[in-house]
Amino acid sequence: MRIYLLFIIVVVTLGGFLFGFDMAVVSGIIPLIKTDFALSASQEGLFVSSALIGCIVGVAFAGKLSDRYGRKSLLIAAAALFFLSAIGCSLSPDFFTLLVARCLSGVGVGVASIVVPLYIAEVSPASLRGRMVTCYQLAVTIGILIAYLSNAAVLQYNWQWTDGSHWRMMFLMGAIPALLFWFGLYRIPESRDG
């Protein structure tokens, strides 16, 4: 039972990992995007805040939607948003498309920030609930760290997109945990209250 619970927690906390990763990955991308798209200061600010705008939307509706459709269903939707955002940002032909893809990521972050700890609390036994929910915050922090390390690796090993840009590869790195999250969610049960 505890091994299966650990598996569930690892899968679900990938939502927290992606929260941290998606919020931190832009730190290494900003100077590269600024150069490639010749962004003004206001466009740069819009790019950085676009994920936060999406996050507000995700948070605003996550609770009600998870009550209606279940926690697991909403987590699957968040995983899909994380994946689509990583691919969309990587393939963005223009600045507007990049903003839309970042907003999608923000919606995923907003949903994950509400539903992941809720799901964990509902599947954990009372004696382990506090420790299990803490795993979510740990995953957010690890996601931030991995975003910085993956950005550094992309630059150090000169992993470039076909157009020679590094920032597209930095975004694309987020597709890997998003896929793991998505596929893992199909192997876990719905929560008790979801």
Side-chain angles (χ1 to χ4, degrees):
M1 176 67 180
R2 289 205 181 207
I3 302 266
Y4 186 55
L5 176 62
L6 183 61
F7 172 75
I8 291 170
I9 299 305
V10 167
V11 167
V12 176
T13 56
L14 280 170
F17 176 90
L18 286 159
F19 175 152
F21 185 92
D22 278 19
M23 290 292 111
V25 75
V26 297
S27 65
I29 290 172
I30 293 169
L32 305 173
I33 294 273
K34 188 175 180 179
T35 301
D36 279 7
F37 288 120
L39 300 182
S40 66
S42 60
Q43 287 174 314
E44 187 179 345
L46 182 60
F47 168 68
V48 172
S49 63
S50 60
L52 298 173
I53 293 166
C55 187
I56 291 168
V57 172
V59 166
F61 298 103
K64 186 171 186 172
L65 290 174
S66 72
D67 286 342
R68 175 177 278 181
Y69 299 108
R71 317 298 186 230
K72 183 178 168 180
S73 297
L74 217 57
L75 289 174
I76 290 170
L81 288 171
F82 283 126
F83 180 75
L84 291 173
S85 171
I87 299 300
C89 287
S90 299
L91 298 176
S92 293
D94 54 46
F95 183 60
F96 177 77
T97 308
L98 183 62
L99 287 178
V100 171
R102 281 297 289 161
C103 279
L104 288 178
S105 169
V107 175
V109 166
V111 169
S113 69
I114 297 294
V115 182
V116 169
L118 184 62
Y119 180 97
I120 292 171
E122 290 174 351
V123 299
S124 299
S127 61
L128 298 173
R129 193 167 295 138
R131 279 179 269 174
M132 295 297 104
V133 174
T134 301
C135 292
Y136 164 74
Q137 190 58 49
L138 178 62
V140 172
T141 307
I142 291 170
I144 293 168
L145 174 64
I146 296 300
Y148 293 146
L149 294 176
S150 70
N151 282 353
V154 165
L155 293 174
Q156 170 138 7
Y157 297 109
N158 202 25
W159 296 335
Q160 297 179 11
W161 197 259
T162 54
D163 66 358
S165 64
H166 293 96
W167 64 267
R168 293 181 189 277
M169 291 302 292
M170 292 174 179
F171 274 128
L172 191 60
M173 293 293 196
I176 298 166
L179 276 177
L180 291 173
F181 185 39
W182 194 14
F183 288 123
L185 288 168
Y186 286 102
R187 308 256 182 294
I188 64 171
E190 182 58 85
S191 68
R192 287 188 296 255
D193 296 332

